[in-house]
Amino acid sequence: MPNSIKEYRRLVEQPWGRMFYEMIYRQLQLSDSPELDILDYGAGFCVTANHYAEHHNVTAIEPNAEMRDLRVNDNEYSLLSGGSELLKNIADEEYDVVICHNVLEYADNKAEILKELSRIVKPGGKLSIVKHNLKGRILSNAVLKDEPESALELLNNSFDNARNMFGNRDTYDNDFLLKSSDDFGLTCENILGIRTFFALSSNNKIKYTDMWYKNMLELEMKVCNMDEYKNIAFFNHLIFTKRAK
């Protein structure tokens, strides 16, 4: 994890940062038409919001002022300053797609936020949640960072509550989302992996070549829905559909 917001912003520009987002777009498979109403909650630098705003009506919510100042804004979207308190002002079943990526790890009121996000999705609409995966963090610590001691600590404790610039990161289990979302009227359509391989090598020079990017993206997309690989991916992407009443 970078040490500052500006370092984190530069990371987004790197090939491994771009690949993270490209995998999300491919996994979500949102068509350019018809125009959808999309909410990006905890939008960060608004990379995803900006991407979808080219063809859709997008609202982004982000509480961090520095991230808002460094946002990507090639396309037009609405940006709101705030956090979970803004969700309560949104009408029921307002959005076709709700996005919540790497946010709940830092929230004390996960269940409350998930309930609100579920409430504002239209029947038949999607809720996309990306989260850190503990097994992937263990693999990264052991291989990329060469820190077997840290990997053993994560493995033995079965949780990760490390602190970074965003607060304490609670790498919670997928079962929490699966049980809570079902109670809130959502059905999990798929659980996918992101970053199984592409950040395990410290050879960053090769990652700037077109051939590496093309082949690595193809490899990641091939394994992202295979259990043995998505179980050890650094991130999991859970895609839910709102059931009709």
Side-chain angles (χ1 to χ4, degrees):
M1 170 65 73
N3 295 318
S4 71
I5 297 294
K6 288 184 178 179
E7 283 185 21
Y8 188 26
R9 179 66 179 83
R10 287 193 290 269
L11 181 66
V12 170
E13 305 288 347
Q14 306 309 311
W16 48 95
R18 290 188 286 110
M19 190 173 293
F20 168 83
Y21 287 101
E22 188 161 354
M23 287 194 70
I24 289 173
Y25 306 149
R26 292 190 180 200
Q27 290 173 354
L28 266 179
Q29 298 180 330
L30 298 184
S31 299
D32 292 343
S33 62
E35 185 179 74
L36 301 173
D37 293 318
I38 298 176
L39 175 70
D40 189 356
Y41 174 71
F45 301 118
C46 297
V47 177
T48 303
N50 180 74
H51 171 81
Y52 286 121
E54 182 176 2
H55 300 286
H56 301 289
N57 178 31
V58 178
T59 299
I61 294 177
E62 173 53 46
N64 188 291
E66 189 173 359
M67 297 188 86
R68 294 196 306 272
D69 289 341
L70 294 171
R71 73 187 184 277
V72 182
N73 60 346
D74 301 320
N75 301 306
E76 186 176 348
Y77 55 87
S78 298
L79 176 59
L80 304 179
S81 170
S84 59
E85 73 282 357
L86 297 181
L87 296 176
K88 298 184 183 300
N89 299 325
I90 300 174
D92 293 353
E93 302 174 358
E94 183 79 8
Y95 291 99
D96 299 288
V97 180
V98 173
I99 292 166
C100 180
H101 294 169
N102 298 337
V103 173
L104 295 180
E105 289 92 329
Y106 304 102
D108 294 329
N109 55 338
K110 292 179 182 58
E112 180 182 338
I113 293 174
L114 185 59
K115 183 178 181 179
E116 290 296 318
L117 296 178
S118 304
R119 177 184 62 80
I120 63 179
V121 179
K122 297 178 183 178
K126 295 182 182 295
L127 171 62
S128 166
I129 296 180
V130 173
K131 58 179 287 296
H132 286 79
N133 177 34
L134 181 62
K135 293 183 180 70
R137 291 197 58 76
I138 293 170
L139 186 63
S140 177
N141 280 14
V143 178
L144 175 65
K145 295 183 178 180
D146 288 321
E147 295 179 1
E149 182 179 359
S150 299
L152 276 169
E153 184 177 359
L154 292 176
L155 182 63
N156 292 333
N157 293 335
S158 297
F159 71 90
D160 174 19
N161 197 27
R163 184 168 184 81
N164 59 36
M165 71 185 94
F166 300 115
N168 282 37
R169 180 184 54 235
D170 173 18
T171 309
Y172 60 93
D173 194 86
N174 289 348
D175 287 343
F176 162 76
L177 290 177
L178 296 175
K179 182 181 184 305
S180 299
S181 61
D182 184 60
D183 293 340
F184 300 147
L186 301 174
T187 298
C188 184
E189 301 295 344
N190 213 344
I191 301 176
L192 301 158
I194 299 176
R195 210 180 102 171
T196 301
F197 302 119
F198 70 76
L200 290 180
S201 168
S202 58
N203 180 11
N204 287 339
K205 184 177 179 180
I206 195 174
K207 298 174 187 177
Y208 289 92
T209 65
D210 292 340
M211 185 61 71
W212 177 89
Y213 192 92
K214 176 179 178 292
N215 288 329
M216 183 58 75
L217 180 58
E218 181 180 355
L219 175 63
E220 289 278 358
M221 288 305 301
K222 280 184 177 294
V223 304
C224 72
N225 202 24
M226 299 180 182
D227 287 344
E228 60 268 44
Y229 295 106
K230 67 185 178 184
N231 287 342
I232 59 170
F234 198 82
F235 300 102
N236 280 159
H237 184 190
L238 291 86
I239 302 175
F240 300 90
T241 301
K242 179 79 167 281
R243 296 191 294 269
K245 293 182 179 178

